[in-house]
Amino acid sequence: AVGTVNTTGVVTSTGNGTTYVRATNGATTDSTLVTVNSQLARSCGVAGGALHPDTIAASETWRAVDSPHLLHPLGLTVTNGAVLTLEPGAWVCANQTEFIDFRNHGRLVATGTTVDTIVFTARNAAQGWRGVAFEGGTADTSRLNHVRVEYGDQKFAGSAIQASESHVVMIDSSVVRQSRQAALILRGAGSYVRHSVIDTAAALGPTSPSVILGPGTAWIGNTLRKAAGMGVITEAGTPVTLSGGRVENSGGIGIYATGDVTSSAPVRIVGSTTYPIMAGPQVLATMYPSVAAQDSLIGNGRDTIVVRCCALNSGTAYVSSVIPWAVRENITFGGAAALNVGPSALVTMDSASQMFFNGNARLIAVGNAGAKARIEGRNAATRQIQFLPLTGGTAGADTSRIRHAQF
């Protein structure tokens, strides 16, 4: 519906669009085409607006036509199971010390459209505001669809958007931009961000991430641009889903995966000032399951994969000729897993790092006469590759192969 009509024929807009209004007087009926354009506020500088209290404990809806929605100087806490619903096109404007906090089962439903985006922004872009926080568990999820969050600070929430504990937050087709420090922290298992853009986040240093993904969360088909520090970090625990999209022009490492992941498509990482990715062999075998897939990691300050910790117990991790591995910690291959080092491929190992191949796990280091497969130390200290005794499985199920290789 784009409007309502009262008994006197007055049309009140509830949205933008075109519809027919039919009037009846006895046996006479006629209709006319009516276009409603409510001229929604598209700025925090528009006079008027709706000023809200510091606490909401019962569900309510913020209408687009009442924009801009202004926060209390003490911020806003949505609590007691209340649902805050924002209409498409609504604008929420905040001062530097103001925030929105969802706790005690309070939740947000912000569903915009491609035409009428919902906006959370600062009244003064240079000063920013304190962002949106989701705490505790909820009986349902908070949802942000076709939403723009901009100029968020981390003084209160830890980032422009933060979901902690077991609060599930689903973000779809949205934009988080110009964050004053971190942009997004998702720690509620089941939370996801997909088909969205994270654009320009400041940082405390090159190791500070723009996006933090906790166990059991998902990052699907997003674009991350211009993180001042590290792009994305995943936390260990239940595997994080990392599928598709791009990480562009990070000031540090593009992706640092500290635990296992699931994936259905490589993430393109380009323009990082240092390395594209730092991860264990399980992540590499899952996200980049072929030599061709690793082309998605070319075009960074140092086109090298940093390999740290953990184990691969199934599948094959490939080392290609165009992007070498730098092994910084012990890594283990078990089960039926394999490490495949091809012609002209290079693995360098720190002095303290070792590779372990357990049971039926295999090393395939096969080059050719003109292009050896190489596994080398970064210095003269001793390193080891160990093939450990079979403790299960079938002896001789496969064989490690080393040919035209250089150690």
Side-chain angles (χ1 to χ4, degrees):
V2 300
T4 60
V5 184
N6 67 13
T7 56
T8 65
V10 175
V11 177
T12 302
S13 71
T14 59
N16 295 330
T18 301
T19 190
Y20 279 94
V21 175
R22 176 172 292 180
T24 301
N25 184 8
T28 304
T29 298
D30 199 2
S31 62
T32 186
L33 187 67
V34 175
T35 298
V36 177
N37 185 351
S38 59
Q39 296 297 318
L40 301 177
R42 304 290 183 182
S43 168
C44 292
V46 175
L51 178 62
H52 297 279
D54 63 349
T55 302
I56 293 176
S59 297
E60 62 180 66
T61 298
W62 290 4
R63 300 192 310 162
V65 294
D66 296 327
S67 297
H69 293 272
L70 308 177
L71 301 184
H72 190 278
L74 297 178
L76 172 64
T77 299
V78 182
T79 186
N80 195 40
V83 179
L84 176 59
T85 301
L86 270 64
E87 288 186 347
W91 274 60
V92 179
C93 301
N95 285 316
Q96 185 177 17
T97 60
E98 297 167 0
F99 56 85
I100 305 177
D101 183 20
F102 295 85
R103 59 173 60 191
N104 297 328
H105 305 291
R107 59 192 179 94
L108 172 66
V109 177
T111 304
T113 69
T114 54
V115 175
D116 287 321
T117 300
I118 295 169
V119 177
F120 295 83
T121 189
R123 298 179 76 174
N124 184 323
Q127 295 179 349
W129 66 296
R130 291 188 172 182
V132 185
F134 301 89
E135 302 181 73
T138 72
D140 201 344
T141 59
S142 288
R143 303 173 187 273
L144 294 83
N145 195 331
H146 291 290
V147 170
R148 187 169 84 239
V149 179
E150 57 190 12
Y151 308 118
D153 206 336
Q154 76 154 10
K155 292 180 180 178
F156 174 77
S159 64
I161 300 175
Q162 173 173 303
S164 61
E165 301 170 14
S166 57
H167 196 127
V168 176
V169 177
M170 297 180 175
I171 303 171
D172 202 335
S173 305
S174 295
V175 175
V176 183
R177 63 183 293 270
Q178 298 293 332
S179 301
R180 294 168 63 82
Q181 290 193 24
L184 177 65
I185 299 175
L186 292 182
R187 286 200 170 103
S191 298
Y192 65 71
V193 54
R194 65 186 184 187
H195 312 310
S196 295
V197 175
I198 312 297
D199 195 349
T200 311
L204 297 176
T207 60
S208 296
S210 174
V211 175
I212 299 175
L213 300 173
T217 62
W219 171 273
I220 302 169
N222 303 296
T223 298
L224 170 62
R225 302 189 186 107
K226 299 180 182 178
M230 191 181 298
V232 178
I233 185 169
T234 70
E235 298 176 331
T238 304
V240 174
T241 297
L242 294 174
S243 287
R246 299 170 64 88
V247 175
E248 303 174 353
N249 303 318
S250 298
I253 293 171
I255 293 178
Y256 178 18
T258 66
D260 290 353
V261 305
T262 63
S263 181
S264 60
V267 178
R268 175 78 169 106
I269 306 174
V270 64
S272 298
T273 59
T274 59
Y275 302 101
I277 189 169
M278 181 161 58
Q282 186 277 341
V283 174
L284 301 173
T286 302
M287 291 179 62
Y288 305 98
S290 66
V291 170
Q294 293 185 24
D295 288 347
S296 298
L297 301 173
I298 297 171
N300 298 277
R302 299 187 67 179
D303 283 337
T304 298
I305 296 172
V306 179
V307 184
R308 302 191 70 163
C309 87
C310 309
L312 177 65
N313 292 309
S314 63
T316 300
Y318 291 89
V319 186
S320 77
S321 61
V322 296
I323 186 160
W325 280 22
V327 179
R328 299 290 171 81
E329 297 176 356
N330 292 347
I331 55 175
T332 300
F333 297 85
L339 173 63
N340 189 312
V341 186
S344 297
L346 171 64
V347 177
T348 62
M349 301 179 64
D350 279 4
S351 59
S353 63
Q354 300 182 75
M355 286 188 196
F356 300 94
F357 293 85
N358 297 331
N360 290 324
R362 298 169 291 138
L363 169 63
I364 303 169
V366 178
N368 56 53
K372 291 181 170 59
R374 297 158 57 202
I375 300 179
E376 301 178 354
R378 296 180 68 194
N379 52 47
T382 302
R383 286 147 301 279
Q384 290 182 320
I385 298 176
Q386 294 192 28
F387 298 88
L388 300 180
L390 183 71
T391 57
T394 304
D398 210 331
T399 305
S400 290
R401 296 189 293 278
I402 300 173
R403 186 169 63 250
H404 289 296
Q406 176 175 304
F407 289 80

